[in-house]
Amino acid sequence: MLEVSGLTVEYAASRPVRAVDNVSFSVASGEFLGIVGESGCGKSTLLFAIAQLLTPPAEVTAGSVTFDGSNLVTMTQRQLSAIRWRDLSVVMQSAMNALNPVKSIGAQFADALRAHGRPSRQEVADRSAEVLRLVGIDPVHLRSYPHQLSGGMRQRAMIAMALLFTPDLVIMDEPTSALDVVAQRSLMTQIKELQASLGFAIIFVTHDMSLVSHFSDRLLVMYAGQIAEIGDTRRVFGQPLHPYSRGLLEAFPGIRGLRVPLTGIPGAPPDLSVSRAGCRFEPRCAARMPQCGTTAPDLVSRDGSDVRCLLYAGSGTEATMDAASADASTSTDASTNAGTAQ
C-alpha cells in the first residue's frame, strides 16, 4: 500500500542538514509499523515527509513516496488535500497544539468532513458522534473545547478525527508521549482494536520500546537519519542485530526476569550538518572495528531482517561474526525484559 523509496529530506541552511538519508521501506495493508530511535534521529521528519507536510526550510530532495499507486512527492497541494484525511490521516504529537483551541471538537470534525464533500448537518452530527464512540468518548463532548478535555481524551479526539473517513493509513507521531502509563496502555489497546475492526495500516513513532514490543508487527530502528535495522518486531526484540538496537534495549528497564544494570549508550547522535566518512554510529559503538571509521555500511539482509552494519557485510571475518553473535547473546535478558515491560 505504501512504498517509500530512497527518500531524502534536507533542511536548507548555511550548512544543510540531511535529516532523512536515503530511507526505503514498505507498509502493507493492515500492518502496524513501529519506528523507534533517539530524539533527533529523523523519525518525525520522516513521517512529515511521507504525509507531505514539510514546511520550509525542509524539503524532499530525492526519492519517492508511493501511496496506493500514486507518488505523493510529485502531487500538487490540491491533489494532496483530496487524499489527506480521506485516504491518509495524521495524528500529531501534541493534541493540545494540533486541535484548534477556539473551536469545539464538533466544529473541527465538521470542518474536516465538509472539506471532502457536502454532508448535511445531520450527517455531520451522526458521523462525528459515531467516531467519538469508537474511541470511547461520550458524544456530548462534541460541544467541548480542547482545554475542557483531559490529555487522554484530547488524544482520543485526534484519533477519532483521523478516522472520520476510515482511511487506509494512519500516521501517528508519538500520540502517547504526554500520557501516564495507564492511559498509554488503554489508548494503545483501543488503537489496536480499531485497527483490527477497520483494517487500516499504522505507522507509529515512539520512544517507548514496550509499546512497540506489544503492538507493532514490524519495527524500524532509525539512527542519524538512516535505517539502522528493520524487521519483524519479535525478531528484533529477541535477537537484535545492530549494536544500536541492542543498546536501546539494554537502556530500557524491565519488570520481569533477572535484575540487570541499565548500560545505556555513551555519547550523543552526530551533528547531521557535518558530513563524515564511515558508520555514523561508530563513535558510540562498543563493537566497532578499524574499518568502521572509514567505510559506510550498506543495508543488508540477514536472518530475516535488514541491518546497516559492517559486522554483517560479506567481507567480515568469521571471528567478527562470532564476536557479534556473542555480543547479541549477552543482551538477550535485557531484550526480553524490555519486550515484556508492559
Side-chain angles (χ1 to χ4, degrees):
M1 181 191 61
L2 180 74
E3 184 75 31
V4 177
S5 179
L7 188 65
T8 299
V9 178
E10 292 186 356
Y11 287 85
S14 56
R15 290 193 303 175
V17 175
R18 182 167 290 186
V20 175
D21 189 2
N22 193 26
V23 169
S24 299
F25 64 91
S26 61
V27 180
S29 296
E31 185 179 17
F32 193 126
L33 175 68
I35 301 179
V36 297
E38 293 172 278
S39 296
C41 285
K43 304 183 302 298
S44 294
T45 300
L46 173 61
L47 294 193
F48 276 72
I50 292 172
Q52 292 298 291
L53 292 172
L54 293 172
T55 56
E59 64 174 338
V60 174
T61 57
S64 62
V65 179
T66 305
F67 175 68
D68 284 343
S70 301
N71 186 1
L72 302 184
V73 175
T74 59
M75 284 186 174
T76 65
Q77 285 300 317
R78 182 184 292 272
Q79 291 171 322
L80 288 169
S81 297
I83 290 176
R84 293 195 196 109
W85 295 109
R86 189 191 67 192
D87 302 316
L88 179 155
S89 58
V90 182
V91 178
M92 302 295 184
Q93 182 172 352
S94 175
M96 192 62 197
N97 295 333
L99 292 168
N100 189 330
V102 298
K103 279 192 172 185
S104 68
I105 301 300
Q108 295 181 63
F109 282 19
D111 286 345
L113 286 166
R114 288 170 181 150
H116 293 276
R118 296 176 177 271
S120 66
R121 181 174 297 182
Q122 188 60 47
E123 288 172 334
V124 168
D126 291 345
R127 182 56 182 166
S128 298
E130 182 181 2
V131 293
L132 270 193
R133 291 192 188 97
L134 281 177
V135 298
I137 298 179
D138 192 312
V140 69
H141 288 292
L142 287 171
R143 296 191 295 271
S144 299
Y145 289 83
H147 72 274
Q148 295 174 310
L149 305 180
S150 68
M153 291 177 72
R154 289 196 295 268
Q155 292 289 18
R156 284 181 164 86
M158 278 298 302
I159 293 170
M161 185 182 292
L163 298 178
L164 281 170
F165 296 95
T166 315
D168 297 324
L169 175 65
V170 179
I171 297 173
M172 298 186 176
D173 186 12
E174 299 191 57
T176 63
S177 59
L179 306 180
D180 60 72
V181 292
V182 176
Q184 283 182 5
R185 180 72 178 203
S186 174
L187 180 59
M188 288 304 303
T189 300
Q190 202 157 46
I191 290 172
K192 197 65 178 176
E193 290 173 351
L194 288 170
Q195 183 190 26
S197 62
L198 300 177
F200 55 87
I202 294 175
I203 300 178
F204 186 91
V205 161
T206 182
H207 286 98
D208 194 327
M209 300 295 286
S210 66
L211 288 181
V212 290
S213 74
H214 280 271
F215 296 103
S216 69
D217 302 312
R218 283 196 304 144
L219 186 63
L220 188 158
V221 181
M222 283 195 75
Y223 183 76
Q226 297 179 327
I227 295 177
E229 184 173 351
I230 182 171
D232 178 79
T233 300
R234 293 292 93 207
R235 187 168 190 83
V236 174
F237 271 84
Q239 189 180 359
L241 299 179
H242 200 285
Y244 181 63
S245 302
R246 294 198 292 270
L248 288 178
L249 292 172
E250 290 170 357
F252 192 84
I255 61 173
R256 299 180 183 175
L258 298 175
R259 179 180 295 181
V260 294
L262 301 180
T263 57
I265 304 175
D271 182 353
L272 296 180
S273 67
V274 179
S275 62
R276 53 162 291 147
C279 174
R280 296 182 180 184
F281 188 59
E282 182 267 341
R284 310 173 67 190
C285 184
R288 62 180 175 269
M289 303 176 291
Q291 59 266 41
C292 293
T294 57
T295 305
D298 294 322
L299 201 63
V300 297
S301 296
R302 180 60 62 106
D303 298 334
S305 297
D306 290 339
V307 58
R308 188 184 303 275
C309 182
L310 293 180
L311 289 171
Y312 306 96
S315 59
T317 65
E318 185 176 349
T320 298
M321 293 308 303
D322 290 342
S325 299
D327 191 12
S329 67
T330 60
S331 67
T332 300
D333 290 339
S335 301
T336 303
N337 288 344
T340 58
Q342 242 181 319

